Amino acid sequence: MKESLEQTIICEEFTVDDQEKANWALRKLRSLQEKKLANEELANKEKAKIDAWLNEVNSQLDQDIEYFQGLLTAYAIRLRQEDPKFKSIKLPNGKFGFRKQQPKWQYDDRKLLEYLKLNNLNELIRTKEEVDKSKLKKLVQIVNGQAIDPEAGEVIDRITIVEDKFKIDL
């Protein structure tokens, strides 16, 4: 039967119209998913090897880069101490120096929130509104796939109820 089904697929569009064809389609689906999984496993093994190699060859280079950046930073700081107007220096192989930027704010949200509460600065605290969905589910009734407000007897058209989901188990 398998060969005749495969020939049917090649010659004309295949349609599942009985249990035997559905079972064949499930077997084919499982085989395709297993091949895909094997491909992903092979790729992940190769990626792991490549990542390990890259980390190995670049780790010493990263240390060297940090070392030379540190040397240039220390030199730039000495130049700025000698001349407070020093901004940058351009050399044949590149340029380094200081650049103005927008002030960067870093927060400890938990401690800042405590501080604002203690100092009565509540206008600086934002409150987030959101629906309590677990309470809503307990309150609303489902009738014919629609959410009904039991007190008003009205359909809540802003809620969609999906009761069935198509699923294939292999």
Side-chain angles (χ1 to χ4, degrees), residues 27-80:
R27 188 171 53 247
K28 191 70 174 167
L29 186 58
R30 174 179 284 158
S31 172
L32 294 169
Q33 288 177 339
E34 287 171 353
K35 286 179 183 178
K36 183 178 175 183
L37 185 61
N39 290 342
E40 289 171 357
E41 287 174 1
L42 177 62
N44 287 336
K45 286 179 184 176
E46 291 302 311
K47 285 178 189 175
K49 286 181 191 176
I50 291 169
D51 289 343
W53 169 81
L54 184 62
N55 286 336
E56 182 182 330
V57 297
N58 279 348
S59 65
Q60 182 60 47
L61 296 173
D62 287 338
Q63 290 175 7
D64 292 346
I65 288 169
E66 286 180 32
Y67 173 74
F68 286 106
Q69 286 174 339
L71 292 176
L72 291 170
T73 301
Y75 179 57
I77 290 171
R78 275 197 316 273
L79 290 175
R80 182 170 257 182

